Amino acid sequence: DGEEVDIFVPLVTPAQMLPSLADHVERRLHYPAPSFRPSGADGDSVFVRVPIDFRTTPETWAPIVATASVDGPPGFAPWVTITATPSELWFASGDPADPGLVARCSGEAAIAGYVAEAPGGCSYTFANASTTVPSGVFPAELGIAWDVTYESSDGPGTLDMAPTITPAPVQVEEIKGLVTCTGSRPTQGSC
């Protein structure tokens, strides 16, 4: 009808915003804060064949959320929200005789309290002392795997992000005992 109308055309789409926002989220991912507690020990030592509980802190076991948006009129304002949620805590022992991801847990087990009488859902038992390697310390690692999803003005989706990994060297000691025969009766340690 001869009337002039301004039409807003967004120069950015959610698909174009996604890589930059994903990079921002990836830089903000938490690295696990290793915490090891050996069951039945003094709290400072790790021993062969005695389970240790591995944990991280509640602060590092928290989701990361980030949103990007572009102003515009209703229906023409693209936006993206990415949520990265910790899905699994894993422990790699660093023992060359037992390589790889050797223990995994998820959910509340990753930050649960320590109970000396019962190893938790996040526990591992070393089969070898760390004296089997030249350094005397196993180069263990603790990692968090992430589930990453997004919602956008164009719809939902998922993204892949690498796990965050923290070195967690562990010195594993071995306790040896010697049983000797001291007498003929069972109460005297007979053989």
Side-chain angles (χ1 to χ4, degrees):
D1 297 338
E3 184 180 335
E4 288 188 25
V5 178
D6 290 333
I7 299 175
F8 176 83
V9 179
L11 298 177
V12 178
T13 66
Q16 291 169 319
M17 295 188 313
L18 197 54
S20 178
L21 187 60
D23 183 54
H24 172 75
V25 169
E26 195 162 20
R27 287 193 314 268
R28 292 182 53 211
L29 292 179
H30 304 295
Y31 284 76
S35 172
F36 298 105
R37 291 302 309 253
S39 301
D42 61 10
D44 293 327
S45 301
V46 175
F47 298 103
V48 171
R49 303 197 195 293
V50 176
I52 62 164
D53 282 2
F54 58 92
R55 302 283 194 281
T56 190
T57 62
E59 295 80 20
T60 61
W61 195 251
I64 303 293
V65 180
T67 298
S69 62
V70 175
D71 288 336
F76 295 101
W79 58 271
V80 178
T81 297
I82 296 177
T83 304
T85 306
S87 62
E88 182 177 68
L89 183 67
W90 54 262
F91 173 70
S93 71
D95 180 355
D98 191 9
L101 301 180
V102 293
R104 304 168 188 262
C105 64
S106 59
E108 292 298 313
I111 55 172
Y114 173 70
V115 178
E117 296 78 28
C122 300
S123 67
Y124 177 73
T125 303
F126 281 93
N128 302 301
S130 55
T131 54
T132 59
V133 296
S135 68
V137 176
F138 287 137
E141 296 179 332
L142 197 64
I144 297 176
W146 298 87
D147 281 339
V148 184
T149 60
Y150 68 87
E151 295 283 337
S152 77
S153 50
D154 285 349
T158 61
L159 299 170
D160 290 326
M161 287 194 185
T164 50
I165 302 168
T166 300
V170 178
Q171 184 174 4
V172 182
E173 300 176 26
E174 188 170 26
I175 300 174
K176 296 183 180 183
L178 177 64
V179 177
T180 59
C181 299
T182 58
S184 59
R185 295 188 302 227
T187 58
Q188 294 176 321
S190 65
C191 295

